[in-house]
Amino acid sequence: MNHISIAIDGPSGAGKSTLARMTARHFGFLYVDTGALYRTVGLYVLRRGGDTKDPRAVEPLLPEIRVELKYDGAGIQRMILNGEDVSDDIRLPEVSMAASDVSAIPAVRAFLLETQRSLARRYDVIMDGRDIGTVVLPDAQVKIFLTASAQERARRRFLELQAKGVETDYDSVLRDIELRDKNDSGRAIAPLRPADDAVMLDTTEHDLEASFRLVCGIIEERRRDGR
Ligand code: DC
């Protein structure tokens, strides 16, 4: 049986993971957060003291890395790095930048590609990332490119970090988002860009509930059309 794949791509902080998780629950699909894979590789390189930007430092470490995805009883994705659950550690701000750095290295993208595709072969998935509609699942039935202004994305991320008790300030969160945008869109391999057949959705003016309804509407319409 062919499984259904839904790709949600877009820049950091556009609400992809929250919306993809809600939507996956609504339609009964598996939610796959692919950024967590890059974060796990970034965390490993940081822990080994490697330069996350340098392919010559990162590539030799890849054979030492075993990345697994697990789902807990509540259906929440957990990231396992060489047997250790690192789901909390990968959310630290320094790991965000390390993930962005290592994600520009072709060998890292190749290393993680099959993990992502094999999930889509086995389950109905909603996968979020940067290149899901363009590279990982170019045949996905539905592709959504989610955006919001950098200021609004920084505001949301700042509130999220604050709620988690992570010490930070709005300006550094904004700087971090702008830098990662530049990194993720400017890189030579699999840059962040909408697939030609993606539906664009700007959530700057929409709250979560309204964005969720819009995403569900896009998915229902595309599936009704049999695309
Ligand atoms: O979605 P996120 O912020 O957790 O992603 C962390 C980094 O990983 C992001 O800066 C870019 C990279 N990434 C990627 O290059 N391709 C993906 N499919 C997902 C994330």
Side-chain angles (χ1 to χ4, degrees):
M1 188 185 110
N2 272 347
H3 287 285
I4 293 165
S5 305
I6 295 171
I8 302 189
D9 290 304
S12 312
K16 295 186 301 293
S17 57
T18 309
L19 284 168
R21 192 176 302 114
M22 289 167 77
T23 311
R25 197 174 305 130
H26 178 76
F27 288 102
F29 288 7
L30 184 72
Y31 164 54
V32 183
D33 165 8
T34 65
L37 294 166
Y38 291 92
R39 286 171 179 271
T40 303
V41 172
L43 174 68
Y44 186 79
V45 177
L46 281 183
R47 282 182 174 180
R48 291 292 312 270
D51 176 354
T52 49
K53 283 188 194 319
D54 182 0
R56 284 166 310 176
V58 174
E59 282 176 33
L61 297 179
L62 294 177
E64 299 172 11
I65 303 178
R66 205 176 71 250
V67 180
E68 292 165 281
L69 266 122
K70 289 210 171 129
Y71 288 85
D72 67 14
I76 306 289
Q77 175 181 318
R78 309 294 300 179
M79 290 311 305
I80 314 296
L81 168 61
N82 295 339
E84 176 194 349
D85 189 326
V86 292
S87 311
D88 295 330
D89 294 17
I90 61 169
R91 298 294 153 198
L92 295 170
E94 63 268 29
V95 181
S96 303
M97 200 51 79
S100 182
D101 289 343
V102 298
S103 74
I105 299 173
V108 172
R109 306 204 71 84
F111 176 71
L112 297 174
L113 187 60
E114 182 48 29
T115 305
Q116 300 171 74
R117 286 191 175 155
S118 79
L119 285 164
R121 278 196 298 273
R122 287 181 286 147
Y123 304 99
D124 290 333
V125 293
I126 295 192
M127 210 174 263
D128 85 22
R130 304 294 188 287
D131 63 338
I132 308 306
T134 50
V135 176
V136 179
L137 304 174
D139 296 328
Q141 285 81 353
V142 185
K143 299 178 186 177
I144 297 173
F145 195 85
L146 212 59
T147 56
S149 71
Q151 290 72 16
E152 175 61 14
R153 288 185 284 128
R155 193 186 67 83
R156 293 175 190 169
R157 184 53 58 92
F158 173 64
L159 293 176
E160 207 178 282
L161 289 168
Q162 240 188 357
K164 281 190 195 158
V166 177
E167 216 164 289
T168 184
D169 61 279
Y170 171 83
D171 287 338
S172 58
V173 174
L174 178 61
R175 258 198 319 277
D176 195 75
I177 282 206
E178 286 174 337
L179 190 60
R180 282 213 286 153
D181 280 358
K182 197 162 150 259
N183 253 355
D184 298 345
S185 312
R187 69 183 174 215
I189 180 167
L192 171 67
R193 67 164 183 84
D196 294 338
D197 50 351
V199 178
M200 305 294 290
L201 179 56
D202 185 330
T203 68
T204 308
E205 305 289 337
H206 302 301
D207 66 11
L208 190 58
E209 201 45 48
S211 305
F212 172 61
R213 280 197 302 273
L214 288 166
V215 168
C216 289
I218 292 167
I219 293 171
E220 276 155 10
E221 191 188 320
R222 287 252 157 167
R223 290 184 68 189
R224 226 184 359 255
D225 292 352
R227 275 184 272 186

